[in-house]
Amino acid sequence: MKNKKFLILYLFVVLHIPAVLHAQNNIGLPVLFNDGWLFHSGDIVNRSNSGDFDLLWKETQLPHDWSIEASFSSEWASATGFLPGGIGWYKKSFTANKSWSSKQVYIYFDGVYKNSEVWINGHYLGKRPNGFVPFQYEISPYLNYKASNTITVKVDHSKFADSRWYTGSGIYRNVYLIVKSQVHVGLWDVAFTTPGVSADKSSIKVKVSVTNNKSSVQNINVKFNLIDSAGKIVATAQKPVAVKKGENAITFNSQVTSPQLWRIERPYLYQLQVQVSQNGKLIDQVNQQTGVRSIRFDKDNGFFLNGKSTKIKGVCIHDDAGALGVAVPEEVWIRRLNILKEAGVNALRLSHNPHADYMYKLADEMGFLVMDEAFDEWEIGKNKWVKGWNVGTPSKDGYHEYFKEWADRDLRDMVLRGRNHPSIIMWSIGNEIDYPNDPYSDKVLNTGTNPQIYGKGYLPDHPAAEGLTVIAKQLVKTVKAVDETRPVTAALAGVVMSNEVGYPETLDIVGYNYQEYRYPADHKKYPNRVIYGSENSMRKQAWDAVDSSAYISAQFLWTGIDYMGEAGKWPMRSNGAGLLDLAGFKKPQYYYRQSLWSDKPMTYLVCREIAAKTDSGAPRRVMSQPSWNWRQSSKIRVECYTNCQEAELFLNGQSLGRKVKNEAKGQVPSWDVDYQSGGLLVKGYNKGIEVSSYVLKTTGESTQISVVADKTTFKSQTKGLCQLEIQITDAQGNTVYTADNEIQLELSGPAKLLGLESGSLSSHESYQANKRNALHGRMLAYIQTTGDAGLVTIRIGAKSLKQASVQLTVQ
């Protein structure tokens, strides 16, 4: 009965959605294909045609990451978060609309990790080793219009220690079905550029490739419209074209008067619409968001956006979101990116691989500059640590096994997919490929200062660094063949070595990882080189090197958000380098960065005990924390992160003095205070006027749970996500920083719990459970609606605490 219900629902979607799209002139657009999949954990021999073995399968909603469903164990690799890989199979059965028999039908995968192989009705469609690059296959020749069709996908991540960070396993991004006319615009076959941009007008160029799958020449009309946010067409052109069998290129040149420019502060977007008509009937259409903007990097004066000098305040980010693994709904990243934007972050380095389609859309919409990155290794494998970072013998498994055969195609597809996004300002062909002795080496490593180096000095049994230059030239050529409007770059870890072999000279702009000390000397020695910080520490000196030098345009912090993998020894299984924790909660370093990068007045307090000692009397290192609960009579250092000119601290209403930020050590005003319970208040002043304040109170015993939902009303027939911020508080509603109670969540109605995340880097609690221990009195719950209408009730409780509840309405 369940399968019959699904078939009825599926037939409704397949048969009715295309008709609706046609009525709206949205012909040929992707339709989400995530529902109705089955999953089998483990290998199946000779089962590509699915056969009669349904007992081995379980219902699965895509996107899906099977690694995050497993238990953490020290038998796996620290690099990939102490979670397993393995082999898995997916299948989906569906009925083909008879109208498709004269069409071209494709299935599009945004990302499958990894070594995916795809079949339709037993016909082999192909393999894609890369786990990060999107791809599609045509399925129309193999569709059955008299019976059900079955898509089958094998995913092989049996080499689990194949990355330096957590990758997850499975079909972890969206899947789409695309139905096209036999004469149509193919995948990524529209290129939009703005050769000249000013406030008065912008020249635009639209290149379109039309594919004719018919045997004879077809007379068609190709038209483009550029539409503003009010729905007005601001540029348009059309051409009658006789297209031969195969691909046919058409180019339009036009202009927009008084264009609305895409800016960080106001990321204005146009809708680019390309239409193909035949005999007066619309037969294909492509819609894409795009923007009008200019970018320029200057060797002496940094980066310019629309002619305006701009410092790039960036963070590096990986794909995962803690409890969700890498199967992350778009809403999660909307929340995270909004929080980063609040700190003054204006750029994202998508480390170290192409990310989900929606990330680029969000960057366009939210005003983030993007460094899009292709590879973390080339033809020789890097170290992937198994027992902890730099501990024991590393694994060498990874993408390098497929590099020679697939690198050019993977890189080309990354650029084709992203080239119309105004947010993308550079293409990176690699991260730390030149990491000294991992694997490349050179005699220069016996001299000078090398902050990042594996081993000691030159290792003659390692591959020669000259190989970097040869491969880099080929990769740059691949990018330039697709897009010449953006610079090609790479993030260099061993600049001293790369300088010896000419690797930087193959690049348009050169990223330096953790090598700020080289900026002045290299700027002088290589006067035509554009240098920027592609990966940097949180230290203020690293930012000063950017802020004080006109020729250094950027800093990308490692990292914006904590991530799974690249961990230390067990029991650690995640990396805590972020401004935000795994739950997306702000850490103290977030506020420090906000004090450096944000223009909006802010103040924040952290505290630590001075001269703290262990039980044996030895000095004890104490990290600063946002808490005012200490031992009576202890001496506490109170520090204020602020971007205000002055800060004044009050303890229980009594002023402890006003301090000037620029006169304070590290520009962080501080006070040494004899602890008294009660509350701290700090006020920030600009030109003597109070513009900001922050309160830190002594908290009592944990008594209750409070909950804030980011959204409580949802639409039916679509899946929505509610993100619940859960806090343990005292009787006055103050969050108890030390609270680590086990919180349990009970849910009823048309929704399900996707996961609970506390932000802990070492917790081995199951992410599939409905309970978890809090960290710093906080936790995040991900609740996904099923699409059915109704009332969802969520109850959150913990032993000895007053519970809380939330209701969601699905209309």
Side-chain angles (χ1 to χ4, degrees), residues 311 514-520 531-533 536-537 539-555 593 596:
K311 288 293 186 183
Y514 307 103
Q515 293 169 90
E516 295 85 1
Y517 74 98
R518 296 195 65 89
Y519 291 167
I531 301 171
Y532 71 97
N536 308 88
S537 74
R539 294 181 306 115
K540 185 175 183 298
Q541 298 94 312
W543 174 241
D544 289 342
V546 182
D547 200 31
S548 63
S549 303
Y551 62 91
I552 301 296
S553 62
Q555 178 185 70
R593 187 56 43 174
L596 297 177

Side-chain angles (χ1 to χ4, degrees), residues 591 594 599-605 640-650 681-686 688-695:
Y591 295 96
Q594 188 179 37
D599 294 327
K600 183 179 179 180
M602 56 80 60
T603 47
Y604 183 76
L605 294 176
C640 176
Y641 301 152
T642 184
N643 55 10
C644 300
Q645 295 169 345
E646 295 178 298
E648 184 176 12
L649 183 69
F650 296 83
L681 165 67
V682 65
K683 296 180 179 181
Y685 303 90
N686 284 336
I689 300 173
E690 181 184 340
V691 292
S692 177
S693 64
Y694 181 80
V695 174

Side-chain angles (χ1 to χ4, degrees), residues 223-237 254-257 270-271 273 275:
K223 179 182 182 180
F224 94 87
N225 297 313
L226 192 67
I227 305 169
D228 68 14
S229 60
K232 179 183 177 183
I233 296 175
V234 297
T236 186
S254 185
Q255 69 177 33
V256 180
T257 57
Y270 291 92
Q271 184 81 3
Q273 184 182 77
Q275 298 177 325

Side-chain angles (χ1 to χ4, degrees), residues 406-611:
W406 287 94
D408 284 346
R409 182 175 175 182
D410 288 341
L411 178 60
R412 178 177 178 272
D413 284 355
M414 181 189 87
V415 178
L416 282 171
R417 190 264 297 261
R419 62 183 172 177
N420 292 338
H421 288 282
S423 57
I424 299 176
I425 61 169
M426 63 179 96
W427 307 113
S428 171
I429 59 173
N431 169 64
E432 296 188 344
I433 310 298
D434 65 337
Y435 199 104
N437 295 328
D438 186 16
Y440 296 94
S441 194
D442 188 89
K443 292 180 179 179
V444 74
L445 297 180
N446 288 328
T447 65
T449 302
N450 304 290
Q452 293 205 93
I453 186 168
Y454 176 67
K456 296 182 178 180
Y458 172 54
L459 299 179
D461 60 333
H462 281 227
E466 286 84 358
L468 292 164
T469 308
V470 176
I471 297 173
K473 286 180 178 179
Q474 174 57 34
L475 296 178
V476 170
K477 182 179 178 182
T478 298
V479 175
K480 298 290 187 182
V482 179
D483 180 33
E484 293 186 318
T485 69
R486 297 171 178 85
V488 181
T489 188
L492 275 55
V495 176
V496 64
M497 181 174 73
S498 292
N499 283 343
E500 294 296 305
V501 298
Y503 176 24
E505 280 63 47
T506 68
L507 307 170
D508 297 316
I509 60 176
V510 186
Y512 283 39
N513 283 13
Y514 307 103
Q515 293 169 90
E516 295 85 1
Y517 74 98
R518 296 195 65 89
Y519 291 167
D522 278 17
H523 179 59
K524 183 177 181 180
K525 186 174 182 180
Y526 307 100
N528 293 319
R529 180 180 297 179
V530 176
I531 301 171
Y532 71 97
S534 45
E535 187 171 316
N536 308 88
S537 74
M538 300 283 182
R539 294 181 306 115
K540 185 175 183 298
Q541 298 94 312
W543 174 241
D544 289 342
V546 182
D547 200 31
S548 63
S549 303
Y551 62 91
I552 301 296
S553 62
Q555 178 185 70
F556 287 92
L557 295 175
W558 193 262
T559 177
I561 308 171
D562 290 354
Y563 57 98
M564 294 179 62
E566 200 167 19
K569 292 182 180 180
W570 178 268
M572 299 299 293
R573 44 83 171 176
S574 296
N575 190 297
L579 298 175
L580 309 179
D581 67 17
L582 289 170
F585 291 129
K586 302 171 185 177
K587 296 161 66 176
Q589 54 261 45
Y590 170 93
Y591 295 96
Y592 176 67
R593 187 56 43 174
Q594 188 179 37
S595 75
L596 297 177
W597 282 1
S598 177
D599 294 327
K600 183 179 179 180
M602 56 80 60
T603 47
Y604 183 76
L605 294 176
V606 292
C607 309
R608 62 180 174 86
E609 188 175 1
I610 301 173

